[in-house]
Structure formats: structure tokens, C-alpha cells
């Protein structure tokens, strides 16, 4: 499943239809009870409906239409809240449905005798942890596991969406296979690592379905705060009834406030807007992560990503391209650059490594040297060996070699040559700068040096600068020596580095940061990364990595792109920003609604409150109904923002707070005045 290309539109027709049905199903009291704020609205809807049924003629002094209007719009408020959550869940269920299509009933060849390769066909559901299964070309891998024997091409498009096959082999960091993927060529022996129903695919389906999402600690804390505020408002509203009755009895004028008005007052003053959208914001955050092809195994991890302030990034493949590239030729005294490049090019004709190909590219770019006719020149290639630490070519009676400095020096001296001091100085300078020097010789003469560098990815320095503006410290993890690590760290623009990193050193570094109160995120793909991944607050494991790494992480990147960690942080921060912005808007909203509903609610009991009616609303009944209608409609209006998320910009916390207060705080104060007045004008047209 390609979650990015198949990401459903925000309001796709089938998702809308499902959300409408789910909104009605969520009227179950057991479902409503999970959200205390909306449960209060739910009870208010029932109460006002009963008041209308009991006295449709308005025996309480209120018109029947008013009571019915309040009841209807309270039900609409509940349904709109249900709709917001249901449409967010619908996006997750659409992803889950695509994943389920990739699951098929598979028969596995379980090895009964690993030595003779005898197998017995069994249903995949009968496999147990530790079983060995043989998978051949065309077979579907029956369960998650580790390759213990063989090398094969595997089609993982059912999970990652990428059509290009990947190689899986025993040992190393590419030994993990996922159930439901298909072998294209060759064969594998796989040791089963998970029980039926607990596979990676099963966990993906469970997590992307919003209905099964567990609330995060911050979300639970905010829900408790909103419930407490609602309880406070409930106590205030309940005490208003006897107060108004006493005032009427003492003054002998007016009439006490009615139950319908008190229910409307409670609903409008309680934080219903954020209460209705809170769950949808969390589900939508996980869906956005899914569209980046990252599966979060824990909602807590998505939230923690927004608070991360230290990123641990592997050097190779993350900060650098991962393959050393030839960047320049440094000729010896008396040797032209073209002569050195020509010899290096000849010595690299049979070198199919990325380094060898990059030498040919550099020679072509700088001196126009192109491919040679091998049949015409008749070379004898000397392959690289760990013993000689050189490779090259014998051509026309000449020996051209390239390799480690000490190896080429020894080779030149055996032929009666010397090693120039300028070349020795160039070798030292390149090594100090974090590069790898390759010395080139022709017979006894040393021609110069090729500088190989692990090239830093384009644009990565700007991304680190962006993270720095967000207050996030970047730390490069590498097995290189401190000299090389320092040079690459300076070029990439990271804040710190850990050189000659071992699993123990990574783990100790994470614990050191955490003891200082920092939240740490890291990526990894190998078994040696598993301890550090398990310790990190946000741990993104590569899908191509080992089973141990995927089990230790709380997120899995299906694209196996280590820089995806930066996107994860963006999604986490966007989730927190969206929640904070809509909470600010909701609370500011309530303040504005006081001026609409309080004067109207107590107009007959306390006429002096009429001075608070700054909007000049037509009648008390219309004012109350307008506030209730606005309270319902603003939920629908904010659903797209809750699903898309607030636009994220890498700015400091102080500036972010100012922006939120200005846009969502001031906006939350002003919008209700405009909205309620407009609704009141419409109501006055119908009520005369």
C-alpha cells in the first residue's frame, strides 16, 4: 500500500457517507461517556427534548418552537462532534482497508528437517515463533521473521508501495522480512518471529484504524481539564435556578430562568468546541504521519515527537550520501592534473564500486576523459585485495596502481621509486579534513592523490539550521574516527557528534540527555541499534532493518529513509500546535458567547443585565438560539483545520505563543460576535 499516493481526499464521498452513518452509531451512551464535555451536551439534548415532548405548547412560559429549536441544535452539536471524529477515523479505516487487501490466506512450507530440507505444508496461522519456513520464488512470505539462510529479491509493494524489489539476506541489517510480501527470485529460509495476529501488518492495521487509537497522556490531561471546566460550569448553572427563583419571589416581578435556557447556557459556556474536536485532532495527526509512510506503533510517540529537543542521526545515508565520491585530483610536483586523472581513470575501468565509478565521472567532468576501447588497448586488470590494498591495470608494459598511501608507497619503492613529500602532505591534509586519500602510481613514479569524501547531502545543512531555529539539537552518530567525524559534522552543520560509536556509547548518550530533562529521537536499522531505540523517546526503525530494530522502535518508516525523522518531528509539532490553537480559539469563543447569552437568559429576572447586550440582539429567545446554533456550526467549520492541522513554521516558542494568541485568541473573541449577530438577523426574519 502506498499511503502517500492513495491518501484519500479530505472529504471524499465514500468517507463522508461512512462518517454520517458512524455519527449516528456514536449516539450510543457508552460511546458518548468517553468524552465528558460532549456527554454533558448529550444529556442536555435529551433533557430539552423531554421538555418539548412534555409541554409542546410552551407551558413553561417558553414557545414550543424555541424549546424545539434548542433541542434540535443541541442534537446537531452532538452529531457534528461525532462527525468530526468519524471522518478522521474514516481516513484511517481507508488506509486499513488497503492494508487488509494485501493479506491473503497463505500456506507455509515448514521445515521438518533443516538438514535435508524436508517440508510440510501448514496454514500460516499454525506457525509459531521459532519455526523455520522455506520460501521460494513466487511465494508469499507467511509471517514476520529473520532470514537465516539464502539471498532473494522481495517485492514489498504491498506494505511500502514501492514497486522496486529489495534484497533480503541472512546476517547484517537487511535480514528482516514482513509477512504478506512476495519472493520474486531465489529462495529464503525464514525463522518466524511473531505469532499469528501479532505481525507487523496486523499492528499497522490496528494503529491506522482511529477507533483503536489509545489517547496520549497530554490528550488525557487536556480532556480532564475540559471535564473539570464543564463540571464547574454545571455547578454554576445549577445554582442559578434557585437564585433566579428567589429574586423573582422577593421582587415580585419577572419570572425565573427556565431549564431550557439553563441547558443552553451550560452548552454555550462549556468548552464544547475543543471537546468536540480533540479526538479528531489526534487521529488526524496519526493519519498525516501515515501519509508520509511512517507507521506509529504508539500515539504517545507521535505526541512526543512534537516535544523532541534532541535528534540523533546516523551519518552514513542520513547526513551523507553513504558512498564515498571522488572530489578532486591532487597531482605530485611535475605531474599535470590531466596525467594523474588519465592514470586514475585507467586504474578504475574495472572498478564497479561507487568510488571507482565516481573517479571516472570526475575525470570526465574535469578533463573530458571518456571510456576506453578495452578490446583495442588490451588491459590486464588487477583486482583489489585486502592483502595488497591496491587495484589497477597492467597496460603496454606499465603498471598503474591506486590504493592506500602506505601500500602504493611500498609498491613504488620495490620498483625503485620514491614517495614525494608533497604527496605525503596531501595525504595527511585529506585525512585531517575527513576525506579518504587514494594514491595513484605508474610504475615506480607516484603521480598524486585522489580525494574521496563521504559527500554531505544537498540541503541537509539548511534543514539542520531549521531544526536549530525550532530549538532542537542535532547530534551525528558515526563509527568514524574523531578527526573525520569533526570534519563532516562541521560541513553538515550539526550541533554535536559522537565518533567511534558503539551500541553502549549510543545508549549512554541517550540516557545522559534524558537525565538532563531532554526528549530524544533517533533512527536505526540494525540489531546493534535496538538498545538505543528502546531507550529513545521517539524511535524510528527502518523497514529494511532487522526485526530487533523494528521491535525496539515505536515507529517504522516504510520507505527506510533515515531523514524521515525530521518529518516525524514536524508532524508531532503540528499536532501539538493544532491542539493548542483550537483550545485557544475554543476558550476565547466562550468569553464572547457570554455577551450574547447571559443578558438574554436573565433579561426577565435581572433587567439590568440588558446593558451587556452589546450586539443589540432582536429578542432574548433569538439571542439564546443564535448562540446555540453558532456553537454547533463552529464545530463543522473547524473540522477541516482539525484534519489538515495548523500550518507549521519553524519559529521559537515565544513567537509561536504570540501568533496563536493573536490569530486564534483574538479571532476566537471576534468571530462569535459576527456569527451570532448574523444568525440573529436571519432568525428575526423568520420570527417577524
Amino acid at each position: 500500500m502506498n499511503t502517500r499516493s492513495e491518501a484519500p481526499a479530505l472529504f471524499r464521498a465514500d468517507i463522508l457517507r461512512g462518517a454520517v452513518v458512524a455519527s449516528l452509531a456514536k449516539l450510543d451512551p457508552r460511546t458518548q461517556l468517553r468524552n465528558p464535555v460532549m456527554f454533558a451536551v448529550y444529556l442536555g439534548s435529551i433533557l430539552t427534548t423531554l421538555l418539548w415532548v412534555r409541554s409542546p405548547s410552551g407551558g413553561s412560559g417558553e414557545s414550543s418552537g424555541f424549546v424545539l429549536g434548542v433541542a434540535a441544535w443541541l442534537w446537531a452539536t452532538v452529531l457534528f462532534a461525532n462527525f468530526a471524529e468519524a471522518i478522521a477515523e474514516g481516513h484511517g479505516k481507508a488506509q486499513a482497508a488497503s492494508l487488509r487487501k494485501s493479506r491473503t490466506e497463505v500456506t507455509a512450507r515448514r521445515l521438518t528437517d533443516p538438514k535435508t530440507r524436508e517440508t510440510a505444508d501448514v496454514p500460516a496461522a499454525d506457525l509459531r515463533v521459532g519455526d523455520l519456513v522455506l520460501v521460494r520464488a513466487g511465494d508469499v512470505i507467511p509471517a514476520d521473521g529473520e532470514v537465516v539462510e539464502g539471498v532473494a529479491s522481495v517485492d514489498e509493494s504491498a506494505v511500502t508501495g514501492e514497486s522496486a524489489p529489495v534484497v533480503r539476506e541472512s546476517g547484517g541489517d537487511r535480514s528482516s522480512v514482513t509477512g504478506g510480501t512476495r519472493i520474486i527470485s531465489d529462495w529464503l529460509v525464514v525463522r518466524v518471529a511473531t505469532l499469528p495476529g501479532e505481525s507487523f501488518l496486523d499492528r499497522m492495521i490496528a494503529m491506522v484504524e482511529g477507533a483503536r487509537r489509545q489517547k496520549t497522556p497530554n490528550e488525557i490531561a487536556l480532556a480532564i481539564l475540559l471535564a473539570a471546566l464543564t463540571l464547574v460550569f454545571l455547578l454554576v448553572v445549577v445554582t442559578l435556578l434557585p437564585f433566579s427563583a428567589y429574586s423573582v419571589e422577593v421582587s415580585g416581578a419577572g419570572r425565573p430562568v427556565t431549564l431550557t435556557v439553563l441547558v443552553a447556557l451550560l452548552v454555550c459556556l462549556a468548552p464544547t468546541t475543543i471537546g468536540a474536536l480533540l479526538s479528531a485532532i489526534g487521529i488526524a495527526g496519526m493519519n498525516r504521519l501515515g501519509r508520509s509512510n511512517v507507521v506509529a506503533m504508539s500515539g504517545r510517540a507521535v505526541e512526543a515527537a512534537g516535544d523532541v529537543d534532541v535528534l540523533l542521526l546516523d551519518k552514513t545515508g542520513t547526513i551523507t550520501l553513504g558512498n564515498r565520491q571522488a572530489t578532486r585530483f591532487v597531482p605530485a610536483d611535475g605531474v599535470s592534473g590531466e596525467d594523474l586523472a588519465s592514470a586514475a581513470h585507467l586504474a578504475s575501468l574495472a572498478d564497479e564500486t561507487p568510488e571507482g565509478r565516481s573517479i571516472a565521472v570526475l575525470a570526465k567532468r574535469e578533463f573530458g576523459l571518456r571510456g576506453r576501447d578495452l578490446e583495442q588497448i588490451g588491459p590486464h586488470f588487477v583486482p583489489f585485495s585486502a592483502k595488497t590494498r591496491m587495484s589497477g591495470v597492467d597496460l603496454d608494459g606499465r603498471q598503474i596502481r591506486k590504493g592506500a598511501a602506505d601500500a602504493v608507497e611500498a609498491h613504488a619503492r620495490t620498483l625503485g621509486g620514491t614517495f614525494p613529500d608533497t604527496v605525503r602532505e596531501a595525504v595527511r591534509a585529506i585525512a585531517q579534513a575527513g576525506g579518504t586519500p587514494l594514491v595513484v602510481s605508474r610504475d615506480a613514479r607516484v603521480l598524486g592523490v585522489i580525494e574521496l569524501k563521504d559527500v554531505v547531502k544537498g540541503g541537509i545543512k539548511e534543514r539542520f539550521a531549521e531544526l536549530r531555529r525550532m530549538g532542537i539539537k542535532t547530534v551525528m552518530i558515526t563509527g568514524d574516527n574523531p578527526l573525520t567525524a569533526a570534519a563532516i559534522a562541521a560541513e553538515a552543520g550539526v550541533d554535536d557528534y559522537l565518533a567511534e560509536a558503539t551500541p553502549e556509547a549510543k545508549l549512554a548518550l541517550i540516557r545522559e540527555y534524558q537525565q538532563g530533562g531532554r526528549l530524544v529521537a533517533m533512527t536505526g536499522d540494525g540489531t546493534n541499534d535496538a538498545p538505543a531505540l528502546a531507550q529513545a523517546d521517539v524511535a524510528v526503525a527502518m523497514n529494511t532493518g532487522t526485526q530487533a530494530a523494528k521491535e525496539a522502535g515505536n515507529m517504522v518508516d516504510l520507505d527506510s529513509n533515515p531523514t524521515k525523522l525530521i518529518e516525524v518531528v514536524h508532524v508531532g509539532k503540528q499536532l501539538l500546535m493544532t491542539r493548542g490553537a483550537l483550545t485557544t480559539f475554543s476558550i476565547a469563543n466562550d468569553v464572547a458567547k457570554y455577551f450574547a447569552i447571559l443578558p438574554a437568559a436573565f433579561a426577565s429576572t435581572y433587567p439590568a443585565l440588558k446593558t451587556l447586550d452589546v450586539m443589540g440582539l432582536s429578542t432574548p429567545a433569538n439571542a439564546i438560539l443564535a448562540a446555540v446554533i453558532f456553537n454547533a456550526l463552529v464545530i463543522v467549520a473547524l473540522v477541516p483545520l482539525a484534519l489538515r492541522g495548523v500550518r507549521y513554521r519553524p519559529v521559537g516558542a515565544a513567537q509561536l505563543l504570540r501568533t496563536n494568541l493573536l490569530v486564534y485568541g483574538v479571532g476566537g473573541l471576534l468571530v462569535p460576535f459576527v456569527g451570532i449577530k448574523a444568525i440573529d438577523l436571519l432568525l428575526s426574519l423568520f420570527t417577524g
Side-chain angles (χ1 to χ4, degrees):
M1 180 209 59
N2 190 333
T3 50
R4 290 165 300 184
S5 61
E6 296 180 12
L10 198 60
F11 295 110
R12 211 173 68 186
D14 57 335
I15 291 180
L16 285 175
R17 285 193 297 270
V20 170
V21 174
S23 299
L24 296 172
K26 288 176 180 290
L27 290 175
D28 185 331
R30 292 168 296 183
T31 303
Q32 293 297 313
L33 193 57
R34 297 174 192 162
N35 188 334
V37 178
M38 297 313 300
F39 185 64
V41 182
Y42 179 73
L43 293 178
S45 307
I46 295 173
L47 178 59
T48 51
T49 303
L50 292 176
L51 289 173
W52 178 76
V53 170
R54 191 185 70 174
S55 183
S57 60
S60 61
E62 300 166 314
S63 71
S64 174
F66 171 73
V67 179
L68 178 60
V70 171
W73 280 101
L74 290 184
W75 281 115
T77 304
V78 175
L79 287 171
F80 290 159
N82 291 349
F83 178 79
E85 183 177 42
I87 197 169
E89 291 175 356
H91 284 261
K93 288 175 180 176
Q95 295 178 40
S98 297
L99 285 171
R100 284 196 177 93
K101 290 178 184 177
S102 68
R103 292 200 307 186
T104 55
E105 292 298 323
V106 179
T107 299
R109 296 189 186 91
R110 184 165 58 193
L111 287 177
T112 54
D113 188 343
K115 293 182 179 179
T116 62
R117 294 284 175 83
E118 291 184 14
T119 63
D121 291 345
V122 298
D126 292 345
L127 293 174
R128 293 295 177 264
V129 176
D131 284 349
L132 296 177
V133 294
L134 176 65
V135 194
R136 299 194 180 103
D139 291 348
V140 173
I141 296 174
D144 292 358
E146 293 278 351
V147 177
V148 296
E149 190 177 350
V151 180
S153 295
V154 181
D155 176 10
E156 296 187 339
S157 59
V159 174
T160 66
E162 298 297 333
S163 57
V166 295
V167 175
R168 291 287 177 264
E169 57 187 331
S170 60
D173 294 341
R174 295 183 178 270
S175 61
S176 173
V177 290
T178 304
T181 57
R182 185 180 297 275
I183 297 283
I184 295 178
S185 66
D186 303 297
W187 56 271
L188 297 173
V189 174
V190 177
R191 179 183 291 113
V192 176
T194 60
L195 291 170
E198 298 177 3
S199 70
F200 176 61
L201 200 57
D202 291 314
R203 286 183 291 155
M204 284 175 63
I205 292 170
M207 287 306 301
V208 298
E209 285 190 304
R212 301 187 189 181
R213 184 187 68 94
Q214 297 297 312
K215 290 185 177 180
T216 62
N218 282 352
E219 193 174 345
I220 292 171
L222 182 56
I224 292 171
L225 174 62
L226 297 179
L229 287 174
T230 303
L231 181 60
V232 169
F233 283 124
L234 178 62
L235 293 174
V236 170
V237 168
V238 167
T239 59
L240 288 175
L241 183 60
F243 271 118
S244 68
Y246 176 75
S247 296
V248 170
E249 184 179 345
V250 170
S251 64
R255 63 177 184 272
V257 67
T258 65
L259 280 176
T260 305
V261 171
L262 287 177
V263 170
L265 179 65
L266 172 64
V267 170
C268 288
L269 300 189
T272 49
T273 305
I274 185 61
L277 297 173
L278 186 59
S279 183
I281 293 168
I283 296 170
M286 295 193 69
N287 290 344
R288 284 194 296 276
L289 200 63
R291 288 195 289 273
S292 297
N293 258 15
V294 177
V295 178
M297 298 304 176
S298 160
R300 182 191 298 259
V302 184
E303 191 172 83
D307 289 326
V308 159
D309 49 16
V310 177
L311 285 186
L312 302 187
L313 298 156
D314 189 42
K315 183 205 76 173
T316 305
T318 305
I319 295 172
T320 65
L321 294 176
N323 295 315
R324 293 175 302 172
Q325 306 285 308
T327 57
R328 66 182 176 125
F329 296 112
V330 183
D333 289 340
V335 179
S336 69
E338 185 172 359
D339 191 16
L340 170 60
S342 178
H345 185 252
L346 284 170
S348 303
L349 287 177
D351 189 346
E352 290 300 322
T353 64
E355 293 88 345
R357 290 194 295 270
S358 73
I359 292 171
V361 169
L362 182 63
K364 177 182 177 182
R365 185 173 69 241
E366 293 200 356
F367 300 101
L369 298 177
R370 299 185 178 274
R372 315 293 176 92
D373 187 343
L374 299 183
E375 291 186 5
Q376 183 177 349
I377 62 178
H380 171 68
F381 293 109
V382 178
F384 176 85
S385 73
K387 183 177 180 180
T388 63
R389 293 187 296 143
M390 293 187 304
S391 63
V393 60
D394 292 340
L395 179 66
D396 295 333
R398 292 189 163 190
Q399 298 181 17
I400 301 174
R401 297 289 185 269
K402 66 176 172 60
D406 57 344
V408 174
E409 180 179 4
H411 172 73
R413 290 190 186 282
T414 59
L415 298 177
T418 60
F419 199 81
D421 290 337
T422 54
V423 173
R424 195 181 306 280
E425 178 60 27
V427 167
R428 188 191 64 78
I430 290 171
Q432 281 188 339
T436 301
L438 277 185
V439 177
V440 180
S441 69
R442 183 167 53 228
D443 296 331
R445 187 179 187 188
V446 175
L447 301 176
V449 188
I450 309 167
E451 180 181 17
L452 297 178
K453 287 184 66 177
D454 197 354
V455 179
V456 172
K457 288 183 176 179
I460 198 75
K461 191 168 187 175
E462 289 73 17
R463 299 197 78 175
F464 289 149
E466 181 180 315
L467 290 170
R468 197 172 297 111
R469 289 195 297 272
M470 294 158 49
I472 296 174
K473 180 178 182 178
T474 52
V475 182
M476 182 183 77
I477 306 295
T478 178
D480 290 337
N481 63 68
L483 198 63
T484 302
I488 294 176
E491 184 179 354
V494 294
D495 299 311
D496 201 355
Y497 64 90
L498 176 67
E500 298 177 341
T502 63
E504 294 78 12
K506 296 177 190 177
L507 187 60
L509 182 65
I510 292 174
R511 286 174 174 168
E512 181 183 336
Y513 279 121
Q514 289 173 333
Q515 287 168 4
R518 313 290 288 269
L519 260 69
V520 181
M522 78 165 287
T523 60
D525 59 0
T527 301
N528 63 342
D529 292 322
L533 286 170
Q535 182 68 34
D537 300 287
V538 178
V540 183
M542 301 297 100
N543 189 47
T544 56
T546 62
Q547 189 71 24
K550 289 197 282 188
E551 291 290 340
N554 47 30
M555 294 186 189
V556 176
D557 176 19
L558 302 181
D559 295 332
S560 298
N561 175 9
T563 60
K564 192 73 71 67
L565 183 58
I566 299 173
E567 290 182 39
V568 170
V569 171
H570 278 216
V571 171
K573 286 192 174 294
Q574 188 182 36
L575 170 65
L576 295 180
M577 283 178 58
T578 304
R579 189 184 297 158
L582 292 183
T583 301
T584 303
F585 185 89
S586 178
I587 293 173
N589 235 309
D590 294 338
V591 173
K593 283 182 282 189
Y594 295 164
F595 291 92
I597 199 167
L598 281 175
F602 296 96
S604 61
T605 308
Y606 304 107
L609 288 177
K610 182 65 176 174
T611 56
L612 292 177
D613 184 14
V614 294
M615 285 183 275
L617 302 176
S618 56
T619 66
N622 281 356
I624 293 168
L625 194 54
V628 172
I629 293 172
F630 175 83
N631 193 65
L633 293 180
V634 76
I635 295 172
V636 179
L638 291 174
V639 166
L641 183 61
L643 297 182
R644 287 196 182 98
V646 173
R647 183 173 175 270
Y648 173 73
R649 292 184 299 113
V651 297
Q655 185 179 343
L656 188 61
L657 178 61
R658 285 195 299 270
T659 303
N660 268 0
L661 289 176
L662 181 63
V663 176
Y664 298 99
V666 176
L669 281 172
L670 298 179
V671 168
F673 284 100
V674 177
I676 291 172
K677 181 61 178 179
I679 295 169
D680 176 70
L681 291 174
L682 288 174
L683 290 174
S684 63
L685 293 177
F686 292 101
T687 58

